[in-house]
Each structure stands twice: as structure tokens, then as C-alpha cells.
Amino acid sequence: MARSDRLYLAIYVFVLAPIGAVVAVCAMLLFGVKPRSVFAVGFAIKSALGPHVSNAAGVAGTVAIWWVAIVIVGLLWERVRHRRWN
């Protein structure tokens, strides 16, 4: 992997993917998806951590799961694209 490819990967993983995760969660809420459905993973994480956990832990968990999903899709896309061109 070339040095510039690593830079682009770092920008994707640490800048674009987190922004995409936040935008995905906000877009779902904007278009009328029930908050209980949007933050289901966050509620599960919050309940696993205990009864006195802040709601911020649930929100952060939801955004983190979306971030991981976006990173996985991006890496798979790059792998498929790389195989097609080589």
C-alpha cells in the first residue's frame, strides 16, 4: 500500500466515516424513524453497562456502531475496486 493510500484511508476512517455516521443517525431522525428504533443498539449498550449510565453512552454507542459499519463497507468497496483494476 502506497503512502498516499494510507493517508486517504486515515482520512476516510477518522474524518469521513464519523461524519457519515452522525449524518446517518440525524437523517433517520429527520425523516421520521422513531428514536427508539434509531437508538436500539445504544439502548442495548446502555442497559448492558448498568442502570446509572448516561444517555450519552447510548448515543455514542449508536454512532460508533454506524461508524464501524461505514468503515467496513468502505474497506470492502476498496477491496472489490482494487481487484477489478488489477
Side-chain angles (χ1 to χ4, degrees):
M1 184 182 278
R3 186 177 182 122
S4 64
D5 290 342
R6 289 185 184 149
L7 176 64
Y8 291 138
L9 177 65
I11 290 171
Y12 174 75
V13 170
F14 296 113
V15 177
L16 296 177
I19 291 171
V22 171
V23 168
V25 169
C26 291
M28 286 188 289
L29 292 172
L30 179 67
F31 291 118
V33 179
K34 293 181 181 178
R36 193 76 167 152
S37 298
V38 173
F39 296 108
V41 174
F43 286 130
I45 292 170
K46 186 178 160 190
S47 67
L49 293 176
H52 300 292
V53 177
S54 170
N55 285 338
V59 172
T62 299
V63 171
I65 293 297
W66 275 98
W67 173 71
V68 168
I70 290 171
V71 168
I72 289 171
V73 168
L75 292 175
L76 289 174
W77 174 267
E78 225 11 71
R79 172 178 259 174
V80 168
R81 192 178 70 92
H82 181 69
R83 284 188 182 175
R84 283 187 187 163
W85 291 104
N86 288 332

